[in-house]
Amino acid sequence: MTLEGAVNVPGDKSIGHRALLFAALGDGPGRVEGLGAGGDLASTRRALGQLGVAIRAEDGAFVVDGVGLRGLRAPAEPIDCGNSGTTLRLLCGLLAGQTGDFTLDGDASLRRRPVLRVTRVLAPFGGRFTVAGDHPPLTVHGGALRGATVHTGIASAQVKSAALLAGLLAEGPTAVTEPARSRDHTERMLRALDVDLWTADGTTHLQPPASLPARAWQVPGDLSSAAFWLAAAALLPGSDLTIRRVGLNPTRMGFLDVLVAMGADVEAVVEGEGCGEPMGHVRLRSAGLKGARIDGDLALRSLDELPLVAVLGALAEGETVVADAAELRVKESDRIGAMAAALTAVGARIEARPDGWRIEGRDALAGGAVAAAHDHRVAMAMQVAGLRSQGPVIIDDPAVAAVSYPGFFEALQARLRGAVEESER
Ligand code: S3P
């Protein structure tokens, strides 16, 4: 069984959230093309609807009736962010500078995720919040903001972006420093909107604009969704798979470096731009995988893909160590614990550590029943693990994949069935 040919993946989730938010703040109707159909982006659309922003589907795109920088309206009901941490945390920054009180809430997973990291960074802007402990629900008390100089204290694009969005609505300049470089979509997209914003020595400076122009965004494919295909191809000897029209932002490309470190043959070619972001194709030809050590900046640049790295490590020759990734414990699930439990259940040799895993690779897994921990990336990573298992891998909640990639299982199965039929012809 091999994976060959070319696939398209859904629009980038991180960029999609931002395109919707910036369109909502624009002067007049903006357009978002190529938006992914996943549950998290639906959460941002629904939240904006609750905030008084009309969004309608038109020819496969979304038209967003921008209400201007400070035109969001406080709903009487709590705003439901579903499973989406990005929706909730970015809205904290954006709503801090609006008029009224806004309660943000979400599902059981979101109610376990930390928010003080955001509210703390927003306090110097004059942001006011009511929250019991460190988790949603929380209430944002909107009001006038002043520009601030802040340190995020953590390499988190969500925290950094919340601060930049507060700065966008504030009076006077803002400077945001982060300890290591997290994904920079907010910065790129604000520059594409002609906002006076620049980054030097780990600090991003922003001068608030009087207004944001309405524009059309073309969202590139999501490299984090492509990663499941690339990992699948890397695990199937003889594969040669291309992902088309995918985002190639350097702050997101760590997983490609991991694949190369583990022995895969990977080519990434920038062919154009969308949303101020490089985009192009990635081609992977499989080769025998070997263990690797993933830590520091590389762990940060491949953070969302580390569940897949655990799968690759479980099936690579020798030892794989993932370190400096304690943030995985506060994602949609405790991904360190969830992946260690799921991979152990299918016969992998994996030890969970506070900030990652130590894994002894083997040729094939046994298969078995696994818990996806209500986490889309765990569910899809274990589906990929099933490609090199002697028995089936049975996932308790495969539908959770729809948070970022509806139809992934079906698309992968259809592609593999096609490959088998082709080889039998
Ligand atoms: C995201 C940032 C990342 C990532 C998440 C999406 C974003 O989280 O894990 O899936 O769109 O800003 P951090 O805030 O930890 O960087």
Side-chain angles (χ1 to χ4, degrees):
M1 206 163 50
T2 58
L3 278 170
E4 281 166 80
V7 291
N8 295 315
V9 291
D12 187 278
K13 184 154 81 71
S14 289
I15 296 172
H17 287 299
R18 290 159 172 81
L20 288 168
L21 296 178
F22 291 139
L25 299 183
D27 272 345
R31 199 177 159 83
V32 184
E33 286 166 23
L35 192 72
D40 275 3
L41 289 168
S43 292
T44 291
R45 285 195 280 129
R46 187 178 56 224
L48 287 172
Q50 286 187 266
L51 291 162
V53 180
I55 302 178
R56 62 183 184 281
E58 191 183 276
D59 305 330
F62 287 95
V63 176
V64 180
D65 280 335
V67 294
L69 274 179
R70 294 177 189 79
L72 298 175
R73 283 201 317 265
E77 306 294 316
I79 296 166
D80 180 8
C81 301
N83 191 244
S84 179
T86 308
T87 306
L88 185 132
R89 297 201 179 104
L90 266 50
L91 281 178
C92 284
L94 208 55
L95 297 177
Q98 307 287 328
T99 304
D101 292 337
F102 307 83
T103 296
L104 298 171
D105 203 353
D107 68 6
S109 152
L110 196 57
R111 282 183 165 199
R112 286 191 295 270
R113 300 185 65 186
V115 290
L116 290 182
R117 51 175 62 188
V118 183
T119 57
R120 205 175 282 137
V121 168
L122 295 175
F125 292 87
R128 292 181 304 119
F129 303 87
T130 302
V131 55
D134 188 13
H135 306 111
L138 83 163
T139 299
V140 187
H141 307 289
L145 300 179
R146 54 184 177 273
T149 296
V150 294
H151 196 294
T152 60
I154 183 173
S156 158
Q158 294 175 357
V159 176
K160 172 180 63 177
S161 299
L164 291 172
L165 292 173
L168 193 68
L169 301 178
E171 185 147 339
T174 278
V176 182
T177 304
E178 53 180 345
R181 188 146 178 244
S182 63
R183 60 187 70 191
D184 64 353
H185 304 301
T186 303
E187 296 92 307
R188 284 172 180 269
M189 293 174 75
L190 284 174
R191 272 199 302 269
L193 286 164
D194 287 331
V195 173
D196 189 4
L197 177 150
W198 72 101
T199 301
D201 301 327
T203 299
T204 299
H205 303 265
L206 174 151
Q207 291 283 351
S211 63
L212 280 188
R215 61 161 279 175
W217 298 102
Q218 269 105 28
V219 182
D222 195 328
L223 194 53
S224 294
S225 296
F228 296 100
W229 287 98
L230 295 171
L235 288 174
L236 296 173
S239 291
D240 181 353
L241 188 72
T242 297
I243 316 289
R244 296 194 199 101
R245 292 182 58 78
V246 66
L248 293 174
N249 179 319
T251 62
R252 292 283 297 281
M253 286 169 65
F255 184 61
L256 302 185
D257 295 337
V258 174
L259 285 166
V260 170
M262 296 184 84
D265 178 358
V266 180
E267 160 192 292
V269 180
V270 175
E271 289 156 340
E273 215 199 73
C275 302
E277 301 269 344
M279 59 188 281
H281 76 258
V282 177
R283 179 176 180 185
L284 180 140
R285 277 165 280 202
S286 57
L289 289 176
K290 55 183 195 291
R293 185 180 168 86
I294 313 300
D295 57 12
D297 174 61
L298 185 53
L300 176 63
R301 287 190 303 117
S302 57
L303 194 68
D304 286 351
E305 286 65 70
L306 291 178
L308 274 173
V309 175
V311 171
L312 295 179
L315 288 158
E317 191 188 323
E319 182 184 88
T320 292
V321 172
V322 173
D324 302 328
E327 268 297 296
L328 285 181
R329 295 218 179 255
V330 291
K331 292 294 178 185
E332 286 83 327
S333 70
D334 165 4
R335 287 183 174 157
I336 293 178
M339 284 307 299
L343 281 169
T344 301
V346 297
R349 290 177 291 208
I350 176 167
E351 170 205 330
R353 293 174 163 183
D355 65 343
W357 306 279
R358 198 187 71 79
I359 307 162
E360 275 299 322
R362 56 195 324 164
D363 269 355
L365 301 171
V370 301
H374 307 294
D375 184 325
H376 56 128
R377 298 204 196 280
V378 173
M380 289 189 281
M382 291 311 297
Q383 169 87 354
V384 169
L387 298 177
R388 284 264 299 270
S389 295
Q390 281 145 356
V393 170
I394 298 152
I395 298 158
D396 63 343
D397 183 14
V400 72
V403 160
S404 62
Y405 197 164
F408 170 67
F409 294 165
E410 296 76 8
L412 180 62
Q413 289 309 331
R415 204 29 107 109
L416 292 170
R417 257 197 320 276
V420 170
E421 280 162 18
E422 183 78 14
S423 68
E424 282 169 355
R425 231 178 259 154

